[in-house]
Amino acid sequence: MTELFLIRHGQSSNNALADQSQRVCDPELTEMGQVQAERVAAYLAQREHLVRVGAAAGAGPALDRLYCSAMIRALHTAVPIGQALGLRPEVWVDIHETGGIFLERPDGSGVDRFPGEGRSKILARFPDVVLPEAVAEGGWWNGERESTEEGQQRALQVAQILRQQSVTGQRIGLVTHGDFMSHLIKALLGMRQGPELYIYHHNTALTHLKIPSKKEVVVYYANRCEHLEKVHIT
């Protein structure tokens, strides 16, 4: 039985903007976001995320594996978690935010695409992170803006991989993104993808699911923010 903990990244500079025309393609965390990341790291290290169901529920490590996307805000969030738990965050490119790395042009004429940070730059800033070969020297994102439908399909593929790991019995943490988390949860639960339902998460909020088998999913909680004071919830 695999336990899955989905963690949204801390507040990014784009999240905090009043003027959306000032967005950047791969934002950093704000000071608030850094506080949120430190708080969720401490919360996980204290094992407060584990649901006490049965005598063995609290046994074992807080997490066995910690994955994050290659986006800067996810890396910044994953590093303090890894340090608190004694884990090296592993980049899983396919859990990036829906859309990829892009910016809409101010004149409405389309979008500009960006490759994302390259391998050497990521390792210089985040030396404890484990990078797959998909993160190349020239970056990891070379496509056009990903459509919502393509993001949903990617979530279905990630969900299938996670279901296949149900026999491992591991606790897996994924530091990912709001839109993608919504798509992924719906994919794991076999729900219809579409705009009718959005599963919202605050910055660094947690959702805990158990995957007893390839055909079963149990939801224990969603959008949990106990590690944050009210002033830190964004």
Side-chain angles (χ1 to χ4, degrees), residues 7-11 29-46 73-85 175 203-206 226-229 232:
I7 309 160
R8 189 185 173 197
H9 61 79
Q11 184 191 61
L29 292 188
T30 62
E31 289 186 12
M32 176 69 79
Q34 293 169 0
V35 170
Q36 292 166 340
E38 292 166 1
R39 292 290 180 90
V40 76
Y43 184 80
L44 293 166
Q46 293 163 7
R73 55 199 184 275
L75 288 161
H76 269 308
T77 305
V79 165
I81 295 173
Q83 291 171 344
L85 302 184
V175 179
N203 293 114
T204 68
L206 291 99
E226 290 182 349
H227 56 288
L228 299 175
E229 299 175 14
H232 297 136

Side-chain angles (χ1 to χ4, degrees), residues 208-221:
H208 178 195
L209 306 99
K210 285 190 178 182
I211 309 177
S213 71
K214 294 179 181 179
K215 296 182 178 180
E216 297 176 278
V217 177
V218 178
V219 180
Y220 278 97
Y221 56 78

Side-chain angles (χ1 to χ4, degrees), residues 164-180:
Q164 290 170 349
Q165 295 183 7
S166 63
V167 297
T168 65
Q170 292 186 323
R171 288 180 176 140
I172 299 174
L174 266 63
V175 179
T176 181
H177 305 263
D179 287 357
F180 184 73

